[in-house]
Amino acid sequence: MSATTAPAAHADGHAHTGGHHTSLGLDNRKIAIWAFIGSECMLFASLISTYLIYKRRSPQGPYPHEAWTNPSTGEVMKPILDIPVTSASTFVLLMSSVAMVMALNAVQTKHQPKVTTWDKIKGSSKLWLWMTAALGTVFLGFQAYEFTSFINEGLTIRTNLFGSSFFTLTGFHGAHVTVGVLWLFTLLAIDYKRGLQPKDELLVDIAALYWHFVDVVWIVIFPLIYLIK
């Protein structure tokens, strides 16, 4: 009789692959990313609360939703937020989450036969990771355009309370998106070097959790800043 035994199964039905698992049946790395996301939720909750508290307390413009008079020129200025542009960037970021789901699915099903053209497209992890990174980069481009426009219109982080809280909140979110894009490029580097395999599912899954978290945070930020007057 052989002394070799079958790999022990996880709580989720997958065979043990050498990872360090907790009593919950989850890999330590997945527990760590959930703990990190929880701490980041507290950070963004404090930033959003600060924005809401100071939103209407600026003694001078520019303002997000109200027209204001420039004291140096006497010119009446329109509200500074450009909702159509930010709506487009929001759509881009949401689509990046769809691409991230496809990237994870492509890694999970890497060894399954690809018969049709759509199967081959759907099974290309490189394609979907590139698309996610590209959409994230486009979102950052929209944010850079918005920040530049606001500065040209007289709103900086030092102008008033609205400017300080707005640039801090959206700037921190943009920094998180930047980290996510860089993370995606590291996964692409691995994919080009040796190919992401089903055994790498956890690596992609953790990155996907972070990316979806960044998207969910923006879903909260967008209506609070841009839609609710």
Side-chain angles (χ1 to χ4, degrees), residues 10-219:
H10 297 320
D12 60 3
H14 290 87
H16 189 283
T17 57
H20 299 285
H21 293 269
T22 66
S23 59
L24 299 175
L26 294 174
D27 190 283
N28 285 337
R29 289 167 291 179
K30 201 160 189 177
I31 294 290
I33 193 65
W34 277 116
F36 172 75
I37 287 173
S39 67
E40 291 297 284
C41 285
M42 297 300 293
L43 169 65
F44 278 105
S46 64
L47 292 175
I48 291 170
S49 299
T50 301
Y51 171 81
L52 294 176
I53 290 170
Y54 289 126
K55 182 178 180 181
R56 294 183 176 274
R57 298 193 178 186
S58 299
Q60 64 179 18
Y63 299 119
H65 301 288
E66 302 85 15
W68 62 288
T69 302
N70 190 327
S72 60
T73 63
E75 182 182 2
V76 177
M77 309 294 290
K78 64 180 181 179
I80 200 165
L81 293 181
D82 192 339
I83 296 176
V85 169
T86 314
S87 298
S89 69
T90 300
F91 176 77
V92 166
L93 194 62
L94 292 178
M95 290 301 99
S96 74
S97 261
V98 176
M100 191 72 233
V101 170
M102 297 299 292
L104 177 58
N105 180 72
V107 172
Q108 292 170 332
T109 61
K110 180 72 73 173
H111 296 320
Q112 293 183 6
K114 309 296 189 296
V115 179
T116 66
T117 301
W118 171 242
D119 287 339
K120 295 176 182 177
I121 294 173
K122 191 170 66 172
S124 173
S125 55
K126 294 184 181 70
L127 169 65
W128 296 111
L129 287 172
W130 267 115
M131 186 171 294
T132 308
L135 291 171
T137 303
V138 170
F139 174 84
L140 291 173
F142 271 111
Q143 190 172 61
Y145 167 79
E146 181 182 51
F147 282 10
T148 303
S149 298
F150 287 0
I151 292 171
N152 290 337
E153 293 182 44
L155 181 68
T156 69
I157 196 169
R158 297 181 178 182
T159 301
N160 55 22
L161 291 173
F162 163 67
S164 298
S165 55
F166 170 83
F167 280 107
T168 301
L169 174 56
T170 56
F172 264 99
H173 180 266
H176 281 70
V177 175
T178 302
V179 170
V181 170
L182 294 175
W183 194 343
L184 290 168
F185 280 127
T186 63
L187 291 177
L188 274 166
I190 295 172
D191 208 0
Y192 276 102
K193 183 176 181 179
R194 62 170 177 80
L196 290 170
Q197 304 298 325
K199 64 183 177 65
D200 301 309
E201 174 187 345
L202 182 63
L203 296 178
V204 183
D205 193 16
I206 290 173
L209 284 173
Y210 176 84
W211 192 259
H212 297 321
F213 161 72
V214 169
D215 280 13
V216 169
V217 169
W218 185 253
I219 290 173

